[in-house]
Amino acid sequence: GQLTPSPTSVSFGNVRVGTSSNQTVSLSNSGTASLTITQANVAGAGFAISGLTLPRTLTPGQSTSFTVTFAPTATGSVTGSVSLVSDAVNSPTTISLSGTGTQGQLTTNPTSINFGNVTVGTTSNRSVTLSNTGTASLTITQGNVTGSGFGIGGISFPVTLAVGQSTTMTVIFAPSSAGSVSGSVSLVSNASNSPTTLSLSGTGVQPSGGQLTPTPSTIDFGDVTIGATSSRTVSLSNTGTASLTISQANVTGSGFSISGLTLPRTLTPGQSTSFTVTFAPTATGNVTGTVSLISDATNSPTAIALAGNGVPATSHSVDLAWDPSTSSGVAGYNVYRASQSGGPYVKLNASLILLTVFTDSTVQAGQTYYYVATAVNTGGTESIFSNEVQAVIPFP
């Protein structure tokens, strides 16, 4: 017997760490007698075989096949072999193996950012270059930020970088109060050094002079029914180092208004006041607007963004039904309504109701009503009131 493998060597090329690649090897008996393969020994990190059940006998001219797998666990080139032991004249028969484990490597430039002193209420931005310095493409799936006032922008996840490719992102520091802050940006990817961490630091400093700070700085009223109102309270604080005076308050946007702020209004450092913002939509649809506060603060005018959505009022009705009168000669029915139990009742129908059902579409949201019915015969005689039923109308 003569055992002939095809191919005699297998090169897997580049395979990403954590994945695997398979190739098929055919084994043929090219001799003149049967042969039996009794062992298959594999050498080399990450190499393995499957699909070859031993012992395996091949008659002259017969073939079989098996699978060689390369699943690298580390970067770098690897060599190995499959050694087949048999009773063939060329035993052991060797198949050489080779492959290279590859993996992305995420590098940030810089690796840390110190924003220094940044005035409270302002923003400082820094650009960071993200590069793939590894041997395989990589994908960044998340960017997690810690530390008060820090954020990232200019990048949308997931981001894939080929070998040698770079992209940029913006790191933001917008302190809301004075004091030193530290934090980090943690980039999660399939690179070998994931998560890749960028350390951050900065100091919020109070501006010289008055600083008007609204809380909240944006208000979304959501859905408000036309004809109704929704109000929110806004607090105004002087977070600066000198007194400030608010001289004007200008409101834009249909349906928005303010109350409770008497001008001019002076705030000493650390002092606060409040006022009310109201949204009373007159039409359906989304509305945006602002409250713009003019003062001698360093950040004047100070704007509060407003949003709301006018929605139509909910229409309510009450459906009534009753058992027909058992009296003879009934011509129809009347339905009466009261705002309190026991009446006084007011008739709702202009003419006799011929059926035993009636819908009252004149009810108001949030009210409670009481109903009775009467039967009227062909002579115009009306029965006493039926039993009373109650209907509670929900709010929109």
Side-chain angles (χ1 to χ4, degrees), residues 37-392:
I37 307 167
T38 55
Q39 295 182 49
N41 302 313
V42 183
F47 295 115
I49 65 170
S50 59
L52 182 62
T53 303
L54 299 179
R56 181 72 168 90
T57 298
L58 298 178
T59 59
Q62 189 179 10
S63 297
T64 189
S65 63
F66 66 95
T67 300
V68 184
T69 301
F70 179 43
T73 58
T75 59
S77 298
V78 183
T79 59
S81 63
V82 177
S83 180
L84 300 166
V85 179
S86 67
D87 56 2
V89 294
N90 60 331
S91 177
T93 306
T94 301
I95 304 162
S96 61
L97 309 176
S98 64
T100 302
T102 62
Q103 193 164 20
Q105 177 85 6
L106 183 60
T107 303
T108 67
N109 185 22
T111 57
S112 64
I113 299 175
N114 185 349
F115 287 89
N117 293 334
V118 178
T119 302
V120 173
T122 66
T123 300
S124 179
N125 298 330
R126 301 289 178 86
S127 180
V128 176
T129 300
L130 307 177
S131 303
N132 181 1
T133 56
T135 55
S137 64
L138 63 86
T139 299
I140 309 169
T141 55
Q142 295 181 50
N144 302 315
V145 183
T146 63
S148 176
F150 295 116
I152 59 175
I155 189 170
S156 180
F157 299 108
V159 176
T160 298
L161 298 178
V163 176
Q165 188 179 9
S166 297
T167 190
T168 60
M169 72 174 180
T170 301
V171 182
I172 304 163
F173 181 42
S176 58
S177 60
S180 298
V181 184
S182 60
S184 65
V185 176
S186 180
L187 299 168
V188 180
S189 69
N190 59 353
S192 60
N193 60 330
S194 177
T196 306
T197 301
L198 176 71
S199 60
L200 309 174
S201 61
T203 301
V205 295
Q206 293 288 5
S208 57
Q211 178 84 6
L212 186 60
T213 303
T215 303
S217 59
T218 62
I219 300 175
D220 188 348
F221 288 91
D223 293 339
V224 179
T225 302
I226 294 173
T229 61
S230 179
S231 298
R232 303 288 177 84
T233 299
V234 177
S235 174
L236 298 174
S237 303
N238 182 356
T239 56
T241 56
S243 294
L244 63 85
T245 299
I246 308 168
S247 55
Q248 295 181 50
N250 303 314
V251 184
T252 64
S254 176
F256 296 115
S257 62
I258 65 171
S259 60
L261 183 62
T262 303
L263 300 177
R265 181 70 167 91
T266 298
L267 299 177
T268 58
Q271 190 178 8
S272 298
T273 189
S274 64
F275 67 96
T276 301
V277 182
T278 300
F279 179 43
T282 58
T284 59
N286 291 307
V287 183
T288 58
T290 59
V291 176
S292 181
L293 301 166
I294 309 299
S295 69
D296 56 2
T298 58
N299 62 329
S300 178
T302 306
I304 303 165
L306 308 176
N309 183 38
V311 295
T314 303
S315 177
H316 294 290
S317 63
V318 175
D319 292 327
L320 302 168
W322 55 91
D323 294 330
S325 172
T326 59
S327 300
S328 60
V330 173
Y333 301 91
N334 290 325
V335 172
Y336 295 82
R337 186 182 75 188
S339 58
Q340 61 185 21
S341 180
Y345 298 105
V346 176
K347 189 169 73 169
L348 298 179
N349 52 296
S351 59
L352 283 179
I353 302 169
L354 302 181
L355 303 176
T356 57
V357 292
F358 179 78
T359 298
D360 180 10
S361 300
T362 63
V363 295
Q364 300 295 318
Q367 302 298 313
T368 300
Y369 298 97
Y370 302 86
Y371 295 90
V372 293
T374 63
V376 181
N377 65 17
T378 54
T381 303
E382 188 173 14
S383 71
I384 62 172
F385 291 143
S386 68
N387 60 300
E388 182 185 78
V389 294
Q390 173 185 293
V392 179

